[in-house]
Each structure stands twice: as C-alpha cells, then as structure tokens.
Amino acid sequence: MKIFPSQNEINIAADLLVNKYNISSQLLGELFGTQLRDQANRILRRMGGERLDQLRLTRLWIYREGPNIFSGNSLATKKLRRFLLGQLEEEKLKALFERHGPVDSRITNPSYMITPLVNKPWRAGGRWSLDFVKALSFPLIFAGVKARQSTSKPSVVEIQPRVPVPPLVDFQIDLKNRMREVLEQNGDRTRCIVTLPTGGGKTRVAVEAFIEWLAPRFSEGKYLIWIAQSEELCEQAIQCIIDLWSDKEFYHPLKVYRFFGNYSINEEDLTGGVIVCSIQKIHNSLKSENELFDCILLETGAMIIDEAHRAVSFMYDNLFDRAYELRGEDLFPVCGLTATPGRAGINAAEETAKLVKRFEAYLIKPDLGEAYADNPLRFFREQKYLARAKHIVYRSGRKYVLTDDEKIESPDTDEKLTPGFLRRLANDETRNFMIINRLLQIPKDKPTLVYACTVDHAHFLAMILVDKGRTAGVVTAATPLTIRRGLIKGFKEGKINFLINFGVLTTGFDAPNTEYIVICRPTTSVILYEQIVGRGLRGPKFGGTEECTIIDFADNINRLGGPLAYQRFAEDWQWDEETEENNDSMMSEVAVSRE
C-alpha cells in the first residue's frame, strides 16, 4: 500500500495550490509556521541560496505533512479547506454538498454550503476525503493514509505484516541453552548472571530462553518479572517480548503488564504473563504495604534483573526479603543481565560480596576463547558481530546556561535535561545552521540516522535537507504505524538518505544498515545514549554494517552538574577511532553575518 506522495504528486499539489488556486502568503505562512519559514530562509541565504519562493515553500510544507495536508481540525487546516472549497465551480460545490452535507438541509445558496463541509469530520481515505481531493484535482494520496482500526471487532480487518526475528547465532544459542539449564535446576543453581558486551543481544537471548520455558506456565497464572532501570529499558524489553512471542508458534496470547513510571496494574487484570517494571515502582508498592505485588510474587515463575550490577541497593534487599517471606528459601529462578559485571559502583568489597551472593556467583558468558576473554569488544568487532565504530565529537562552541526549570532533579532518572531545554536548542538558528552544514558533508549513499531535539526540530532539519537535494524522512512517536514502516523500509532500501527521528529509540525501530548516526540532542542518560548508538553498532553477522560513524554535537552546558552521556559512555566503550571537529571559524562567520 502506498503511504507517501511521490515527488511528482508533491509537485502537482504544490502547482495547484500556488498557480491554480493562488494560495496567499499569509495562509501558507500559517500552515508552514512563520517562525520556521523565516529561520529556513535565513539559513538558506547563509548557505548561498535564494529565499524560498511561494512554490518551494509549498513543496516543503507538503513534504513535511505527507499525505495528510488536509487532515485535522487546526484553525489553519480548516482555513485551507474553506479557501479551496471557495475556489470550486458552483456545480462541483453543490454536488459535494448534496452528497456530504447535513441530511435534510434546506441550504440552497452555495456560499452557505462551505461551512458545513469544512466542519465535516475528515477521515483519512474516507468517502468525503476522496471526493474532496477529486473535486479539486489533487492526487488521491492526499485523501490521507488510514491508521490501524482501533475497534475491537471492525467490519474491515487490516492485517499488518509480520517482521520475522533473525535467528540466534552460535554463541547466543549456547548462552540460551545454558540459561535453560539453570531454569531446570533447583535451589541455589537457579540463579545466574549473563554478561555480553553492548550490542551482543543479551536482552534477546534472555527473552527467548525465559519466554520459551515459561510459555506453558503463563496460562496457569504464572508471571515473569522483568526489572529494568529506566522507562527506555522497560519499553525495549516489552518490544523484544512482543517480537519473540509473535514470531513463535505459541497457542495462546500473552499478557504484558507495564508497572513503571505512571503505569499501574489493576488486581482484577492479573491472570499471568510478563510484568515489566522498575525497581522504584516495586519498592513503592512494598513500602505502602500494597498487597498487589505480594500476589504477583506468590505466583512468580522467574525473575530477570537488567543492569544487574545495580542489584546491590537496599531496594533490591527489600524485594528479596519480601520474596523469601512469601516463598521460603526455595525461591523462583533469578537471572541478572549486565554488559559489565565489574563496573564502577560495585567495586567495594561488601557490594561485590552481595552481588556474588545474590546470583550465587554463577556467571554465564560466551565461551569464545582467550581472545574474547582478553577484550570482548575487540573480539566481537574482529568477528564482525559488531561494527567498527568511529566517534567524532563536533565542538559547536555554543554556550548555554541551564535555568532552574531546565534541570531534572530526580534520582529516578539519569536524564538531567528537560524538554524545555531541548526546545531551546531546537530553536537555536546558529546551531541548526551548523548541523545542516555537517549533515550535507555526509556522502549521499550513506544511510544516516539523525536524533533531533524535538518533533518540530526533526521536521525542520528534514525540510532543509530536502530543499538542498537530499532525501529525508521523519519518524516520531506520533507517526502512524503504517507510515513509520514505510519510511523505515525506504531507509533500509536506500531510497531515503536521512531518517530523522525524535523519541523513537526502542519501540519497533530497527535499521541495521545504518552507517552514520548524528546526535543533535544532548543527553546525560548513558542508557539512552547506549540505545542511540546501538542502532549502528551491529556488525555484518547481525545484519549490520562493517563500520559506523557516530557524530556527537557537543555544546558547553553550564550548571549541568555532571558530564554528558557520551563522555561517561566512553569510560566503558573502546572506540576504534575518535576525533574532534571544531567549528569556531564557522561560528565567527555566522556571528558576523547576523550582525
């Protein structure tokens, strides 16, 4: 199914709006956004180009909105529909009103027919939408692309394609089998820690081993408790569980419960399945003496603790103390997952002893010989499981001072930068000029993922790149599933050079052919950063690339209270090549031009 207008269809629609219907600059400015339009014009002028004329601006606006240029109930969109209906020949307008106007309407004057039609609900691909674009001679794609049906028993069922899960490689199969052996044991040997370097697939291996073992027990009301350290990791685990369960030939559905952040569980909904939760949520439940989690612990079949090197905190002590009270010494199987079991923070003798006891000192790791033991990351790169990673720190020279409202002061998250600060970065014209200049230096045949600061920032960068002759698409959490899949498919096939996204990090996002990752949004969360760069670290044996270049836009952020994530990530990661790029000269030119 076609989900995005072709370049020819965009040109036809732009020509109709500008040359046939004579859309006004004022209305186009409202649709495009006057501030975005003015910033785009200034940036393009600095690049030696001309200001956006009416036709170019209209093309960029259509490219941004895609098939849904007439959809929605915003004031500007309704103005557009009203304007176009006002341009129709009287006979065409009457025909539209006769078919789609209010039943038993007594309106006979064409000028009064417009308002009821403008206010008629717009359903993508519906009869009214199709008749509207036909009457005005627009390509049918602009009737909109339907989202998935949301009713429980729709009259029309839209079947989504299944994306098969790649098979495990040999060392992953070995790890999975050893985990299954642990699950079959009793007593102390039902505990273990599984360690793999970043990008080695530890989440995938753990999900497959535990889900297969627990599958017949879910229907008996048993639970798998999956504990992760952040909402991002919780969502990543959920997506992995969904992918694996959908790929296997199980005979009944699986319930997955969110129990982290603002999500809660109703006791009447509990009938077995996977509880994906944060240790903070568990701790608060136990502290409040809420019996809900007691009910879960009594029926728990197994537990997985992600980022297991953190399992020495008092919150985990409270969890295990309560589990022993309810279940006795013969506890359910417990598995810890970690990339670095000897990471900073557990080096104190007493903490190390607690970690050893918690998992009974049973470490499961790949049996790949001395070369792996000496340097797992280097071994995985040499064996093509991981891509060769080149890291470029792009020193923008921009300086920002965080306000009190732009800092997150919470122990529940590693992220210390608020959406408000990211919006400030997104609106920084000088910074955007630098970003676009750097993106245009990337060769056209290199698939590039760009992480923007906001949704609007993603669309803005894409529009400028398109105007400069590059292909670019935007994927955000709000992008309909059908369009998202189409854009990712186009990116994988090399039809889209830049895939610019915001907020799409773990939920169904898979692009192993990525050769460049450009991080325009700063973050203090190592977990978030690891997920971002992980999109390009897959090597050929995991369906990825030989090499990936990661470009970090580094700004001077005062009052941050600690380093950005790329600096902390480097403590555990060994880049194959690390360089810096300085933009002081360009900044000077920009400053002069602005004056």
Side-chain angles (χ1 to χ4, degrees):
M1 181 182 72
K2 188 173 182 180
I3 55 92
F4 206 80
S6 66
Q7 190 60 54
N8 185 53
E9 288 168 329
I10 291 174
N11 290 338
I12 290 172
D15 183 66
L16 285 170
L17 286 169
V18 174
N19 296 321
K20 180 176 181 178
Y21 297 119
N22 298 311
I23 187 172
S24 68
S25 298
Q26 180 180 350
L27 177 53
L28 185 56
E30 290 182 45
L31 293 165
F32 191 94
T34 53
Q35 289 184 335
L36 288 178
R37 177 197 63 194
D38 294 343
Q39 184 179 155
N41 274 325
R42 288 191 294 267
I43 286 177
L44 291 171
R45 287 289 296 273
R46 288 177 194 162
M47 290 181 169
E50 298 179 352
R51 290 177 58 86
L52 294 169
D53 59 26
Q54 197 88 325
L55 192 59
R56 279 172 66 200
L57 190 64
T58 305
R59 286 198 198 102
L60 290 182
W61 170 70
I62 297 172
Y63 191 92
R64 182 183 75 188
E65 300 300 323
N68 299 314
I69 57 175
F70 303 123
S71 300
N73 293 309
S74 70
L75 182 60
T77 302
K78 284 189 172 183
K79 278 186 180 181
L80 176 63
R81 295 204 295 259
R82 180 181 298 278
F83 164 73
L84 291 172
L85 288 170
Q87 308 299 306
L88 274 179
E89 299 92 333
E90 191 172 290
E91 291 305 313
K92 284 188 177 182
L93 181 59
K94 287 181 177 179
L96 281 178
F97 187 78
E98 183 178 343
R99 189 171 186 187
H100 299 287
V103 178
D104 299 329
S105 174
R106 298 182 180 180
I107 297 175
T108 57
N109 187 329
S111 61
Y112 290 108
M113 296 177 180
I114 293 176
T115 296
L117 291 177
V118 167
N119 293 326
K120 186 175 180 63
W122 184 280
R123 293 183 176 85
R127 287 176 59 242
W128 160 236
S129 309
L130 286 166
D131 285 350
F132 178 91
V133 297
K134 284 179 184 176
L136 290 154
S137 302
F138 284 90
L140 292 183
I141 186 72
F142 294 108
V145 173
K146 292 182 181 179
R148 292 202 303 178
Q149 299 283 351
S150 59
T151 54
S152 57
K153 292 184 178 180
S155 57
V156 179
V157 177
E158 183 173 302
I159 301 174
Q160 297 296 327
R162 183 177 71 86
V163 180
V165 176
L168 298 177
V169 298
D170 289 345
F171 80 83
Q172 292 175 323
I173 294 172
D174 178 61
L175 290 177
K176 173 187 165 183
N177 291 337
R178 288 157 66 189
M179 292 176 74
R180 288 293 300 267
E181 290 174 7
V182 169
L183 289 167
E184 301 292 347
Q185 299 292 329
N186 294 313
D188 291 343
R189 293 292 286 178
T190 57
R191 298 202 194 174
C192 64
I193 265 194
V194 176
T195 177
L196 271 176
T198 298
K202 58 184 179 297
T203 300
R204 161 74 192 282
V205 173
V207 167
E208 190 155 332
F210 276 69
I211 290 293
E212 287 182 4
W213 184 73
L214 279 167
R217 297 165 175 83
F218 288 137
S219 59
E220 300 170 0
K222 297 299 181 182
Y223 299 100
L224 167 63
I225 298 178
W226 188 294
I227 304 177
Q229 304 301 318
S230 71
E231 293 191 25
E232 295 98 343
L233 287 179
C234 286
E235 292 294 351
Q236 178 179 324
I238 290 171
Q239 187 61 48
C240 189
I241 292 164
I242 291 171
D243 291 344
L244 262 295
W245 191 266
S246 301
D247 188 64
K248 303 294 182 181
E249 294 183 357
F250 295 116
Y251 297 103
H252 54 85
L254 174 67
K255 275 192 173 182
V256 180
Y257 309 82
R258 285 180 169 88
F259 194 56
F260 54 86
N262 294 323
Y263 294 105
S264 297
I265 301 174
N266 294 320
E267 189 171 347
E268 58 268 22
D269 294 332
L270 289 170
T271 56
V274 183
I275 312 284
V276 180
C277 50
S278 65
I279 189 61
Q280 294 88 354
K281 200 81 170 184
I282 295 173
H283 177 68
N284 291 337
S285 180
L286 296 176
K287 187 177 178 182
S288 65
E289 298 184 354
N290 187 333
E291 294 182 357
L292 172 72
F293 209 76
D294 283 356
C295 296
I296 295 171
L297 286 172
L298 284 168
E299 296 299 330
T300 294
M303 178 186 290
I304 293 178
I305 301 174
D306 202 358
E307 297 283 291
H309 51 276
R310 302 189 183 192
V312 295
S313 73
F314 74 95
M315 288 190 282
Y316 281 99
D317 291 342
N318 293 341
L319 168 60
F320 279 93
D321 288 345
R322 186 58 179 159
Y324 280 123
E325 287 178 28
L326 295 170
R327 299 287 295 267
E329 289 300 315
D330 292 331
L331 207 58
F332 41 75
V334 180
C335 175
L337 306 179
T338 183
T340 50
R343 203 174 203 159
I346 62 167
N347 290 327
E350 63 273 15
E351 290 192 347
T352 303
K354 284 176 67 175
L355 192 66
V356 168
K357 182 178 179 182
R358 186 139 289 166
F359 296 100
E360 301 304 328
Y362 185 42
L363 183 66
I364 298 178
K365 59 183 179 180
D367 185 12
L368 296 171
E370 291 184 10
Y372 174 82
D374 290 342
N375 192 320
L377 284 173
R378 184 173 61 196
F379 179 85
F380 267 34
R381 288 166 182 159
E382 290 175 351
Q383 296 299 314
K384 309 297 184 182
Y385 292 119
L386 294 180
R388 183 178 180 275
K390 178 181 180 182
H391 186 227
I392 298 174
V393 179
Y394 189 95
R395 300 288 181 190
S396 72
R398 303 293 287 160
K399 296 181 180 179
Y400 305 93
V401 178
L402 291 178
T403 66
D404 290 338
D405 292 336
E406 290 176 337
K407 292 191 296 181
I408 299 175
E409 301 290 351
S410 171
D412 295 337
T413 177
D414 290 334
E415 182 58 80
K416 302 302 179 186
L417 298 173
T418 65
F421 178 68
L422 294 179
R423 284 193 296 272
R424 178 147 65 111
L425 292 185
N427 294 327
D428 188 321
E429 184 177 318
T430 300
R431 189 174 188 270
N432 288 337
F433 176 55
M434 297 175 189
I435 290 170
I436 292 164
N437 263 310
R438 186 60 185 86
L439 291 175
L440 290 173
Q441 295 174 27
I442 296 173
K444 289 186 177 181
D445 61 342
K446 301 296 183 182
T448 301
L449 274 180
V450 181
Y451 286 80
C453 296
T454 65
V455 171
D456 288 341
H457 191 224
H459 284 293
F460 180 79
L461 295 177
M463 287 189 300
I464 300 297
L465 290 169
V466 167
D467 190 72
K468 300 300 289 184
R470 297 297 190 94
T471 53
V474 173
V475 176
T476 73
T479 305
L481 180 61
T482 307
I483 293 178
R484 182 188 301 188
R485 283 178 169 166
L487 289 171
I488 293 174
K489 183 174 183 289
F491 181 70
K492 289 179 178 180
E493 294 174 350
K495 298 175 183 176
I496 296 175
N497 190 187
F498 293 100
L499 195 56
I500 306 175
N501 80 92
F502 173 77
V504 182
L505 300 171
T506 60
T507 53
F509 192 90
D510 185 34
N513 63 324
T514 303
E515 293 192 50
Y516 277 78
I517 292 176
V518 181
I519 305 171
C520 304
R521 60 150 301 170
T523 178
T524 60
S525 170
V526 175
I527 293 172
L528 188 60
Y529 185 85
E530 186 174 48
Q531 290 174 333
I532 290 173
V533 300
R535 298 304 167 193
L537 294 180
R538 283 197 208 171
K541 287 187 179 178
F542 283 156
T545 56
E546 292 277 352
E547 181 177 292
C548 182
T549 300
I550 296 157
I551 303 175
D552 266 298
F553 270 79
D555 308 295
N556 296 322
I557 304 175
N558 296 334
R559 299 188 70 208
L560 183 59
L564 289 170
Y566 80 88
Q567 295 165 300
R568 297 190 319 177
F569 185 79
E571 296 174 5
D572 293 320
W573 185 262
Q574 302 155 7
W575 301 108
D576 292 280
E577 183 180 343
E578 186 158 24
T579 58
E580 290 195 7
E581 295 180 353
N582 195 302
N583 205 43
D584 288 341
S585 59
M586 182 180 293
M587 277 189 60
S588 300
E589 293 175 10
V590 173
V592 171
S593 67
R594 295 190 71 176
E595 292 173 1

